[in-house]
Amino acid sequence: MDEEITVNRRTYIRFRPQTPVYVELSLWQVQERELKSRAQRVLLRDVGHGGCSFATNLRLPVRDDVEWMIELQLGQYTARPRIVLLHSGEEDGLFFYGGEWRMMGWEHQAFRFRFDEYVRQMLIASPHIHTLYKKVASRHDDGQFKHLDVTS
């Protein structure tokens, strides 16, 4: 049997929400010229330190000179990172887009802190995170954690 192997080239892990999460998307700037637009709701597919992907019925340009702003709630904190779309596709009548955050160093640091805090709070309530922790702690080798060393 030929199995298709998918290679994850992302630098950062992406988290997929367990329940639908809608965020606000608006145009921020085109070719370094501010052109703010009215926000539209889009469905968040996944999110991480490096970027996110979302689904919408809007057809958007995938260009590196167009920046968008996404407003999302991380617990009590409202984040408004800017994103540049890198790829797109179509699935089930919706367009989906993926991109990377465009932030200054201090913005990225603040976003990472708030994002990590939010993920920690969400994962505490997740039963499978406890199973994962037990596997790592006992060094149980089920083929998924080969050569994993948490002591270094």
Side-chain angles (χ1 to χ4, degrees), residues 2-152:
D2 289 334
E3 286 188 28
E4 185 176 320
I5 298 173
T6 304
V7 177
N8 183 358
R9 297 175 296 168
R10 290 193 174 114
T11 304
Y12 302 104
I13 294 172
R14 294 269 181 104
F15 294 92
R16 193 171 293 255
Q18 297 296 319
T19 58
V21 174
Y22 289 91
V23 297
E24 299 288 323
L25 175 75
S26 57
L27 181 61
W28 181 256
Q29 71 179 20
V30 176
Q31 296 178 347
E32 298 182 15
R33 185 173 155 219
E34 279 193 23
L35 294 171
K36 296 179 183 170
S37 72
R38 192 176 62 184
Q40 298 288 322
R41 283 176 40 127
V42 297
L43 178 64
L44 189 69
R45 291 169 44 124
D46 60 42
V47 61
H49 288 168
C52 74
S53 69
F54 57 89
T56 179
N57 59 353
L58 302 171
R59 188 179 298 268
L60 304 173
V62 177
R63 297 177 21 193
D64 63 356
D65 63 342
V66 177
E67 284 188 16
W68 302 86
M69 183 177 68
I70 291 185
E71 183 174 309
L72 66 141
Q73 283 298 128
L74 299 174
Q76 300 294 342
Y77 176 72
T78 302
R80 292 179 184 88
R82 293 174 313 282
I83 190 169
V84 172
L85 303 180
L86 301 176
H87 61 85
S88 66
E90 191 173 352
E91 188 176 284
D92 299 328
L94 290 174
F95 301 104
F96 62 88
Y97 300 92
E100 69 180 6
W101 302 131
R102 290 288 164 100
M103 297 184 228
M104 303 299 283
W106 63 270
E107 290 175 304
H108 196 254
Q109 196 171 27
F111 177 79
R112 285 181 69 163
F113 175 78
R114 298 292 185 172
F115 182 77
D116 288 348
E117 182 179 275
Y118 176 70
V119 169
R120 256 192 311 276
Q121 290 173 354
M122 293 299 103
L123 292 180
I124 287 172
S126 177
H128 60 274
I129 196 67
H130 297 290
T131 304
L132 175 63
Y133 176 76
K134 286 177 186 174
K135 283 183 181 182
V136 171
S138 68
R139 309 278 201 293
H140 178 70
D141 185 10
D142 61 0
Q144 294 179 350
F145 296 100
K146 288 186 178 179
H147 310 294
L148 181 64
D149 183 6
V150 295
T151 59
S152 54

